[in-house]
Amino acid sequence: MTIISCLRTVSKPSLISQFSKPKPKPKTQQSSSLVVSSIVMSYDKELAAAKKVASLAARLCLKVQKALLQSDVQSKNDKSPVTVADYGSQALVSFALQKEFPSEPFSLVAEEDSKDLRQDGAQETLERITKLVNETLASDGAYNTSTLSTEDVIRAIDGGKSEGGSHGRHWVLDPIDGTKGFVRGDQYAIALALLDEGKVVLGVLACPNLPLASIVGDNQHSSNNEVGCLFFAQVGAGTYMQSLSGSLPVKVQVTAIENSEEASFFESYEAAHSNRDLSSLIAKVFPLFLCLSFGQ
């Protein structure tokens, strides 16, 4: 599951046109253009909250990755790795979003549930997750809340069990997009999006290990060794990137390169998630610099 597509979707002309370029209507209905304008602007609060909670989750994940212990890695029934950071990230995002919008119906579609954490022998893991969530909340200081119990964290994790739907608002979360990359000490992302009446209206991607210089280039003011990027997009407003430490946003856009030999072509690091034969064929037909992305 990835939210990178959400960052693309909210900037697609076909979707933007539904909001910013309404069809001409009779003069008696001209006020609808004001409604359209308000729709475009109505997600500022949600975007600010999404950036905030994704950055918090990135802080938690980075802390775990730096001191990754073998006991932090469990195995789900489908044999894919699950980490303390996976559960902690989801618990933190779920809890924080509910704090951000206490009077609104809450719906979160996420990957994890607490089933494995309720098993015999998982108490130590659950206590570690709870400690990490509490430490992260305390370090931020934005939420005036008492220390969470293990049961509070269980409830927060299970807050992501919504089935979503085409009506209402639904948050969609991948607590760690790229679990194998995380375990390797490599690239991963915290991916969060908001759907409103079945449409993606915003997306946030927190990449704790992504070098800032690889995105902003040499023309922007940033330390060459600064690491940690936050990408975000809102319908009708384009896509931007800033450092996780809070630098000024930089607009992200498609490169103007016309010579394919100067372009980069990306595919998944995991062979099972891409068609390597097709990628090789494309690279032969159009001379490209082939790269491996971290999406897993």
Side-chain angles (χ1 to χ4, degrees), residues 158-172:
D158 286 340
K161 295 170 71 173
S162 171
E163 295 183 357
S166 58
H167 300 292
R169 291 188 176 188
H170 307 282
W171 293 96
V172 182

Side-chain angles (χ1 to χ4, degrees), residues 58-178:
R59 189 182 305 175
L60 180 149
C61 293
L62 193 59
K63 181 175 182 178
V64 176
Q65 192 188 45
K66 285 182 176 179
L68 187 61
L69 304 175
Q70 189 62 36
S71 61
D72 284 340
V73 182
Q74 298 182 356
S75 177
K76 284 194 292 191
N77 292 332
D78 63 0
K79 305 304 181 183
S80 62
V82 177
T83 65
V84 165
D86 234 334
Y87 289 116
S89 175
Q90 181 164 318
L92 188 59
V93 170
S94 175
F95 174 81
L97 283 177
Q98 292 181 70
K99 282 290 186 180
E100 290 286 341
F101 306 102
S103 62
E104 298 181 11
F106 180 70
S107 173
L108 175 65
V109 183
E111 287 201 333
E112 312 301 341
D113 61 49
S114 66
K115 180 180 178 181
D116 291 343
L117 294 175
R118 294 181 184 274
Q119 302 297 320
D120 293 339
Q123 185 62 29
E124 182 180 347
T125 300
L126 177 57
E127 289 176 355
R128 178 161 167 72
I129 294 167
T130 302
K131 180 180 178 182
L132 282 164
V133 171
N134 281 318
E135 287 176 350
T136 306
L137 288 171
S139 68
D140 178 72
Y143 302 104
N144 185 17
T145 182
S146 57
T147 301
L148 302 185
S149 66
T150 54
E151 196 58 37
D152 292 330
V153 170
I154 286 286
R155 282 195 294 269
I157 292 172
D158 286 340
K161 295 170 71 173
S162 171
E163 295 183 357
S166 58
H167 300 292
R169 291 188 176 188
H170 307 282
W171 293 96
V172 182
L173 170 71
D174 190 337
I176 292 184
D177 187 3

Side-chain angles (χ1 to χ4, degrees), residues 9-81:
T9 302
V10 294
S11 297
K12 280 181 14 181
S14 59
L15 183 57
I16 295 173
S17 63
Q18 297 179 30
F19 292 88
S20 60
K21 297 180 180 180
K23 295 180 180 180
K25 293 186 177 182
K27 291 183 177 180
T28 56
Q29 299 182 15
Q30 284 182 350
S31 60
S32 63
S33 61
L34 298 178
V35 176
V36 172
S37 176
S38 65
I39 291 176
V40 172
M41 298 300 294
S42 65
Y43 301 104
D44 288 346
K45 181 180 178 181
E46 289 79 0
L47 180 60
K51 290 168 62 180
K52 179 179 178 180
V53 301
S55 297
L56 273 177
R59 189 182 305 175
L60 180 149
C61 293
L62 193 59
K63 181 175 182 178
V64 176
Q65 192 188 45
K66 285 182 176 179
L68 187 61
L69 304 175
Q70 189 62 36
S71 61
D72 284 340
V73 182
Q74 298 182 356
S75 177
K76 284 194 292 191
N77 292 332
D78 63 0
K79 305 304 181 183
S80 62

